[in-house]
Amino acid sequence: MTTIWILAKRELKSFFDSLLAYITIIAFLVFTGLFTWIIGRTVFLMSEASMQSFFGVAYWALFFFIPALTMKLIAEEHSSGTLELILTKPISERQLVLGKFLAVFILIALSLMLTLPYYITIASIGPIDHGATTLGYLGLLLMSAAYIGIGIFASSLTSNQIVSFLLALFIGIFFHLLFELIARYFPGAIGNTLSYLSLSTHYESITRGVVDSRDIIYFLAVVFLSLFGAQMAISRRNYTN
Amino acid sequence: MDIIVDNISKHFGTQKAVDQVSFQVKTGEILGFLGPNGAGKSTTMRAITCYLTPTSGDIRVGGYSIHENPEEIKQNIGYLPESNPLYQDMPVLDYLRFVAEIHKIPKEKIPGRIREMVRTCGLEAEKHKKIAELSKGYKQRVGLAQALIHDPQVLVLDEPTSGLDPNQIIEIRELIREIGREKTVILSSHILAEVEATCDRILIINDGKIVADGTSSDLRKKAQNKEILKITIEDADKNDIFKALQSLQNTQMVDILSQSGNSFELQSKPGTSSRRDVFRLCVDRDWMLTEMTPTETKLEDIFRELTMN
């Protein structure tokens, strides 16, 4: 655990030193703030004390922001050769991947925490459903975890950061949107499987207030499989020169 | 800690990078690894440092196997990779602290270790800069500092002096020799003089196979089996001398060295010497022998002979 934390700390420091962290947080707050309060289906337009408009925006904002944070994580280690440096220290591939995962997760959790004033403000205007809001945040955190995993996996496949970013979006869009849409054209088992694979289905069922263990397992499985895939991709160095 | 490389091979697809290589390095020994580019030096070093897993064979470092206890091996090895990769965006001190933490050096000892590394590697003036801002020589020093910070028992250095100026090269060589007294060191280099000056033993690898193993004087002796003499004889006709030298019983080959003077290079048959014969010849014919110098075989020649295909 300590090794993972040391790795995460270094990664976080690099996020903040390169200003990437500040830019992401500010952009996230501006983006979600605009759509929660000023533009489109805002809190005022809906005229009810709920965070639904915020969750709707954050759902899409995170989808784009997370690949921007994860794209360099392993691709850069590949291209600069530091992978050799880090893996010859007493660090396993699993610890390396988990350290990076933890760093981005902390950064996302921090960004979400900074939106708590929205919650406090809305709660002071009218009666807000505290349960639904808590679950909304939980849903966002779980969804973020899944996309961070996918982003790290994409980053481990290439040494080019742009390719890594686009690849993460490409894989992500299936979970975010396409599986659900395609499922409609396939009745029966295939449709059900695709629908189960769709991240939006599970996200919605959590935010609706139904916390089913199947949903939690789904998110954890996506994280586990993508990080495992990243680990495999890192060990491919043994087969290509 | 000694290193036992036991019959390792490494294939990348159909390409054999390392082919059934075995050797041992004892504690307190500095082993120089020589070979042309692409011979398998770096691949072997990467296998020892647990970055690559060999296709077959085993490596034991201090009794630990790379297959079973890579973490223990990595904890005890200091490694400077060939291209010296570093986290460019980190300041030197932060970076050294990070490496120290990763190696689980107790918290209270970390500042002391960092200070010592900054001093030994001469980083005092640049320690607050970001690594990206350093010159190549200073980056190389940071690379060495990160390899040494946890006081490893085994040191693996892939071309440690590349990019350094002559003064720094001498400093680093002295540092390596000092470390090598108690530790096990493997270093690779393209500079033959460096290997000769620093290492106790030399290993030459070519096409993934070991082609020579021994001290520099061992290797020399092997090559010096053939005596080469530089001879200058005056007061005689060039062609007469040439014929006479060729007819000596131990002569293998005679070369005319210069067109103007009467200088020749005489190579004897393996294991024999022509020095006495040459002298006798000159006395018999009443020639003036003004030079007879045995040519010392250079490590370069041995290297070329072993690695040119």
Side-chain angles (χ1 to χ4, degrees):
Chain A
M1 183 60 212
T2 48
T3 303
I4 295 171
W5 175 237
I6 294 164
L7 289 168
K9 233 174 28 184
R10 194 201 75 79
E11 214 62 62
L12 275 171
K13 207 168 168 326
S14 143
F15 275 137
F16 280 96
D17 282 349
S18 66
L19 302 182
L20 188 60
Y22 298 105
I23 294 168
T24 313
I25 291 175
I26 290 168
F28 179 72
L29 291 179
V30 168
F31 195 68
T32 53
L34 270 179
F35 286 96
T36 309
W37 303 102
I38 300 168
I39 304 170
R41 289 164 56 82
T42 63
V43 176
F44 307 113
L45 194 76
M46 312 236 301
S47 64
E48 62 176 292
S50 103
M51 292 280 280
Q52 283 319 310
S53 49
F54 164 73
F55 290 136
V57 183
Y59 178 72
W60 277 98
L62 289 171
F63 173 72
F64 286 104
F65 280 121
I66 287 171
L69 291 172
T70 55
M71 68 179 190
K72 72 157 194 169
L73 287 177
I74 294 170
E76 197 182 34
E77 303 254 8
H78 265 302
S79 61
S80 69
T82 44
L83 197 65
E84 180 173 359
L85 190 81
I86 204 77
L87 289 179
T88 49
K89 305 268 174 252
I91 296 170
S92 66
E93 284 152 10
R94 175 174 299 133
Q95 286 170 325
L96 179 71
V97 168
L98 285 175
K100 289 180 184 288
F101 176 84
L102 185 63
V104 184
F105 191 75
I106 289 173
L107 192 60
I108 295 294
L110 184 70
S111 311
L112 287 175
M113 232 164 69
L114 291 173
T115 64
L116 286 179
Y118 299 176
Y119 175 38
I120 297 165
T121 311
I122 294 172
S124 68
I125 314 177
I128 191 168
D129 183 343
H130 294 290
T133 312
T134 313
L135 287 178
Y137 274 111
L138 177 71
L140 285 182
L141 281 175
L142 287 170
M143 181 194 88
S144 301
Y147 285 140
I148 295 167
I150 290 169
I152 288 177
F153 174 62
S155 184
S156 71
L157 292 177
T158 167
S159 52
N160 182 320
Q161 298 190 25
I162 304 297
V163 173
S164 156
F165 177 75
L166 295 175
L167 198 59
L169 283 184
F170 180 73
I171 302 173
I173 196 75
F174 278 92
F175 288 89
H176 208 66
L177 202 67
L178 293 182
F179 280 145
E180 180 65 29
L181 292 180
I182 299 169
R184 291 184 198 159
Y185 295 96
F186 291 97
I190 301 173
N192 286 339
T193 315
L194 285 172
S195 181
Y196 181 78
L197 281 176
S198 168
L199 192 142
S200 50
T201 322
H202 299 277
Y203 173 75
E204 273 157 24
S205 86
I206 286 180
T207 49
R208 264 203 314 272
V210 191
V211 186
D212 191 330
S213 59
R214 267 184 309 181
D215 298 324
I216 307 283
I217 289 169
Y218 168 83
F219 284 107
L220 294 181
V222 172
V223 172
F224 176 82
L225 286 176
S226 50
L227 292 186
F228 184 72
Q231 229 176 290
M232 292 286 105
I234 291 173
S235 60
R236 81 177 182 277
R237 66 179 186 276
N238 265 311
Y239 307 101
T240 52
N241 200 354
Chain B
M1 281 186 158
D2 46 355
I3 302 169
I4 301 169
V5 176
D6 185 12
N7 206 19
I8 61 158
S9 296
K10 179 70 188 171
H11 303 186
F12 294 106
T14 53
Q15 184 200 359
K16 274 187 185 172
V18 174
D19 192 9
Q20 295 179 332
V21 162
S22 299
F23 62 90
Q24 294 192 15
V25 196
K26 289 193 280 294
T27 310
E29 191 172 34
I30 304 178
L31 178 79
F33 221 30
L34 282 177
N37 289 322
K41 292 183 304 250
S42 291
T43 305
T44 309
M45 289 181 145
R46 284 172 171 172
I48 296 171
T49 53
C50 306
Y51 180 64
L52 293 178
T53 315
T55 315
S56 66
D58 193 8
I59 300 174
R60 294 187 160 269
V61 179
Y64 294 115
S65 157
I66 53 162
H67 297 298
E68 286 146 31
N69 314 86
E71 303 296 309
E72 277 82 357
I73 293 180
K74 290 198 261 182
Q75 179 65 34
N76 285 304
I77 283 188
Y79 177 41
L80 175 67
E82 186 181 11
S83 53
N84 187 24
L86 297 164
Y87 288 118
Q88 303 284 340
D89 57 343
M90 291 179 94
V92 174
L93 288 181
D94 284 9
Y95 179 61
L96 292 180
R97 171 174 304 276
F98 166 67
V99 176
E101 285 177 356
I102 282 293
H103 276 292
K104 302 195 176 68
I105 298 175
K107 246 196 167 61
E108 65 278 6
K109 284 190 186 157
I110 290 178
R113 284 305 296 169
I114 294 178
R115 255 197 309 274
E116 199 178 328
M117 281 306 111
V118 167
R119 196 171 42 80
T120 347
C121 299
L123 286 164
E124 192 59 48
E126 312 277 322
K127 64 181 179 185
H128 293 293
K129 281 194 188 166
K130 276 190 179 180
I131 292 172
E133 294 163 4
L134 301 180
S135 67
K136 191 159 187 255
Y138 273 103
K139 280 182 189 162
Q140 197 70 15
R141 290 167 182 228
V142 176
L144 268 170
Q146 62 85 24
L148 291 170
I149 195 158
H150 56 297
D151 198 18
Q153 292 303 304
V154 175
L155 204 54
V156 179
L157 307 169
D158 208 345
E159 299 184 18
T161 54
S162 77
L164 300 180
D165 67 40
N167 294 333
Q168 294 169 336
I169 288 180
I170 290 170
E171 278 172 41
I172 295 299
R173 274 188 207 161
E174 271 166 15
L175 180 67
I176 293 171
R177 261 203 302 271
E178 197 178 308
I179 294 164
R181 256 177 240 142
E182 301 149 33
K183 313 264 164 80
T184 318
V185 182
I186 298 184
L187 74 88
S188 80
S189 177
H190 280 125
I191 310 164
L192 300 166
E194 169 168 294
V195 171
E196 210 176 359
T198 327
C199 304
D200 306 317
R201 208 174 109 208
I202 297 172
L203 208 66
I204 301 180
I205 186 169
N206 187 40
D207 262 346
K209 289 194 175 81
I210 291 177
V211 289
D213 181 358
T215 63
S216 66
S217 57
D218 279 349
L219 296 184
R220 258 220 189 88
K221 252 179 233 152
K222 249 179 238 165
Q224 251 172 8
N225 231 341
K226 285 182 195 152
E227 182 192 66
I228 297 170
L229 295 172
K230 190 184 171 211
I231 295 163
T232 309
I233 295 170
E234 286 171 18
D235 301 342
D237 180 60
K238 190 183 279 184
N239 291 324
D240 289 346
I241 304 172
F242 185 76
K243 276 179 200 145
L245 287 177
Q246 246 180 349
S247 61
L248 292 177
Q249 59 168 3
N250 289 336
T251 300
Q252 188 167 42
M253 207 177 74
V254 183
D255 248 349
I256 301 175
L257 280 181
S258 65
Q259 288 303 317
S260 51
N262 290 348
S263 290
F264 303 88
E265 193 177 77
L266 187 147
Q267 193 177 330
S268 308
K269 286 175 186 154
T272 64
S273 169
S274 305
R275 269 181 282 187
R276 297 175 68 92
D277 296 340
V278 171
F279 181 75
R280 183 70 51 209
L281 175 78
C282 290
V283 171
D284 287 351
R285 306 264 182 114
D286 202 16
W287 287 342
M288 199 61 72
L289 179 65
T290 52
E291 186 188 2
M292 178 154 67
T293 328
T295 312
E296 178 143 308
T297 327
K298 288 197 223 92
L299 204 53
E300 271 84 353
D301 300 329
I302 306 168
F303 182 80
R304 279 179 65 82
E305 195 176 313
L306 289 169
T307 57
M308 292 284 281
N309 302 322

